[in-house]
Amino acid sequence: DGGITQSPKYLFRKEGQNVTLSCEQNLNHDAMYWYRQDPGQGLRLIYYSQIVNDFQKGDIAEGYSVSREKKESFPLTVTSAQKNPTAFYLCASSLLDGSSYNEQFFGPGTRLTVL
Amino acid sequence: GNSVTQMEGPVTLSEEAFLTINCTYTATGYPSLFWYVQYPGEGLQLLLKATKADDKGSNKGFEATYRKETTSFHLEKGSVQVSDSAVYFCALKEYGGSQGNLIFGKGTKLSVKP
């Protein structure tokens, strides 16, 4: 079955540590996205990528980094520079053909807690 | 810039009640509009969408009509069930936008009581 997988589902990190969240898709989508979700804040875009080896900052990129070495994979690293990293992180992907109606497909999310 | 405004929740209804969740948007071009649903502890799922003015999206008994004159995309369902309890997000995507990402509202939590 096609879809998006994120791992792990729950992640705990000590302050000062970097941590990497995994996102893999087998939908053959060109574009991939990382969102952060906080209670009452909706979803905010961290980074997105439209093609391998290229990615762009979203609205809240500070303290995060990404890579896109393969079409299927778009890992997100939460660095120690991120001041308030505890949140629910969602990865998404979509086709990218210049139209506006291609939906984004979401993974199940990773809940990161900083201890 | 582009933005989406949803009615604040939580919304609590009894089973079989009528549901309306208001959504209005601001956009410079001709966006597509979406409603996503998030069940507890899960990612988002597309519920319905509309790509141009006067289009009506529908799915699982939910409906929303793209109203350009009022810049609205209100979500409605005639008879809610306990299983509809979730958080609902309105979102827009600008046509031809370089980012391709969605602009989300803050979400509205719906609780349906038996």
Side-chain angles (χ1 to χ4, degrees), chain B:
Chain B
N2 298 336
S3 66
V4 174
T5 302
Q6 287 181 239
M7 64 184 287
E8 291 191 18
V11 174
T12 302
L13 296 173
S14 297
E15 207 165 21
E16 299 184 1
F18 185 86
L19 168 71
T20 300
I21 300 178
N22 290 338
C23 171
T24 57
Y25 68 90
T26 301
T28 53
Y30 304 95
S32 291
L33 301 172
F34 305 81
W35 276 102
Y36 279 83
V37 58
Q38 184 180 35
Y39 298 102
E42 299 183 7
L44 274 67
Q45 303 173 25
L46 180 68
L47 182 59
L48 54 83
K49 66 183 180 184
T51 59
K52 61 182 186 296
D54 300 325
D55 269 2
K56 177 185 284 189
S58 61
N59 185 25
K60 299 180 181 179
F62 291 89
E63 293 183 341
T65 301
Y66 188 147
R67 301 285 188 198
K68 190 177 180 182
E69 63 276 14
T70 55
T71 62
S72 65
F73 193 54
H74 304 322
L75 182 68
E76 296 181 337
K77 186 175 185 182
S79 176
V80 293
Q81 306 299 313
V82 173
S83 58
D84 294 326
S85 297
V87 180
Y88 292 82
F89 292 93
C90 185
L92 72 80
K93 185 177 179 184
E94 192 79 61
Y95 178 78
S98 60
Q99 286 192 354
N101 62 292
L102 293 166
I103 307 296
F104 285 91
K106 292 187 176 182
T108 303
K109 184 177 182 179
L110 170 66
S111 295
V112 181
K113 307 298 184 185

Side-chain angles (χ1 to χ4, degrees), chain A residues 78-95:
Chain A
V78 184
T79 75
S80 57
Q82 169 51 234
K83 301 297 182 201
N84 185 21
T86 294
F88 191 50
Y89 291 87
L90 288 161
C91 179
S93 70
S94 72
L95 293 171

Side-chain angles (χ1 to χ4, degrees), chain A residues 3-109:
Chain A
I4 302 177
T5 56
Q6 291 185 242
S7 61
K9 187 172 179 64
Y10 298 97
L11 188 56
F12 298 90
R13 187 194 93 175
K14 293 182 180 179
E15 283 195 27
Q17 288 182 335
N18 293 354
V19 64
T20 298
L21 282 59
S22 169
C23 177
E24 304 277 335
Q25 55 97 1
N26 61 2
L27 300 167
N28 200 32
H29 285 168
D30 296 300
M32 297 187 74
Y33 313 83
W34 274 105
Y35 293 92
R36 171 180 170 140
Q37 184 179 17
D38 296 283
Q41 292 292 321
L43 277 71
R44 293 180 290 172
L45 182 68
I46 305 172
Y47 268 99
Y48 66 99
S49 168
Q50 297 181 342
I51 193 171
V52 173
N53 293 323
D54 187 47
F55 45 83
Q56 306 297 327
K57 291 182 179 180
D59 300 320
I60 55 165
E62 185 176 353
Y64 299 97
S65 65
V66 293
S67 62
R68 188 87 186 276
E69 298 178 0
K70 300 186 299 182
K71 187 176 182 179
E72 302 80 19
S73 178
F74 191 41
L76 173 73
T77 296
V78 184
T79 75
S80 57
Q82 169 51 234
K83 301 297 182 201
N84 185 21
T86 294
F88 191 50
Y89 291 87
L90 288 161
C91 179
S93 70
S94 72
L95 293 171
L96 195 67
D97 61 2
S99 69
S100 63
Y101 52 79
N102 286 318
E103 67 179 277
Q104 289 188 11
F105 292 80
F106 284 81

